Amino acid sequence: MTDTRGQRPSYDTYNGPLPGERGGTQPQGPYHPPQAYGTPAQGVPAGGGATSGGQGAAATRKPRTGARTTPRTRKARLRVAKADPWSVMKVSFLLSIALGICTVVAAAVLWMVMDAMGVFSTVGGTISEATGSNESNGFDLQSFLSLPRVLMFTSVIAVIDVVLMTALATLGAFIYNLSAGFVGGVELTLAEDE
């Protein structure tokens, strides 16, 4: 195989400008780096027409003004198309039991605080004097509002509340599924937390 490139110059005796340096033969003035896209001054049409070489050219490329400083938050738009009535019933049953227990505990604490403050004895004495006569002592509020009776009444209310809340939540899931079939359901926009 023969070398057809001819004689190459010796780099030891070369005194011209190196690649990337400005030589003395270039005109003095501002430096213009080479452009990736052609400009109308170079014979490329501004509308993006084809040059004589047959290549399409776009408009003049604009430099980037700067990097993005704030992170982009991704958002997703979702739609609740169906609520499973079985899962709604289970969750509402557990939540209503928790609410019933809180109701019973709150009633017991409230009764103890009012009894420690003497509310039942004072109000009970006033009511017994107002409703009493010479033959009877009147209405006894303290025996009527005793702690076991109050807790039993509150427990009955809590059990009724558990049954009603569970039934109403399950019925609400069925009604939501019917209405979502007509209008498409509730739309939610979720954003990713950075």
Side-chain angles (χ1 to χ4, degrees):
M1 182 182 206
T2 59
D3 188 7
T4 58
R5 292 181 288 179
Q7 184 178 6
R8 288 180 286 175
S10 173
Y11 292 108
D12 297 334
T13 60
Y14 180 70
N15 292 329
L18 295 174
E21 292 182 354
R22 293 187 185 181
T25 59
Q26 294 181 350
Q28 297 294 329
Y31 173 70
H32 299 288
Q35 298 292 323
Y37 298 99
T39 59
Q42 295 172 343
V44 178
T51 59
S52 60
Q55 298 177 352
T60 306
R61 183 177 182 187
K62 295 186 179 176
R64 296 179 77 180
T65 56
R68 188 187 299 264
T69 57
T70 58
R72 184 177 165 200
T73 303
R74 293 191 299 177
K75 293 183 180 179
R77 190 166 182 163
L78 303 175
R79 190 166 44 103
V80 181
K82 183 180 178 184
D84 186 26
W86 176 247
S87 64
V88 170
M89 187 183 77
K90 290 188 293 187
V91 170
S92 63
F93 179 70
L94 290 178
L95 289 178
S96 59
I97 284 180
L99 183 64
I101 291 172
C102 290
T103 303
V104 171
V105 171
V109 170
L110 183 64
W111 189 92
M112 290 178 188
V113 168
M114 290 176 71
D115 187 46
M117 291 172 58
V119 173
F120 294 125
S121 61
T122 305
V123 175
T126 305
I127 290 177
S128 64
E129 286 178 10
T131 58
S133 63
N134 293 333
E135 295 85 22
S136 65
N137 292 334
F139 181 73
D140 189 10
L141 182 67
Q142 285 183 309
S143 63
F144 181 74
L145 292 180
S146 63
L147 182 61
R149 184 173 285 185
V150 168
L151 289 181
M152 184 183 69
F153 181 72
T154 309
S155 300
V156 170
I157 295 294
V159 169
I160 294 172
D161 183 42
V162 167
V163 173
L164 283 179
M165 280 185 64
T166 305
L168 287 176
T170 308
L171 182 64
F174 278 113
I175 293 174
Y176 177 79
N177 290 339
L178 288 175
S179 63
F182 292 112
V183 298
V186 177
E187 291 186 359
L188 303 174
T189 301
L190 304 178
E192 183 181 17
D193 192 9
E194 293 292 333

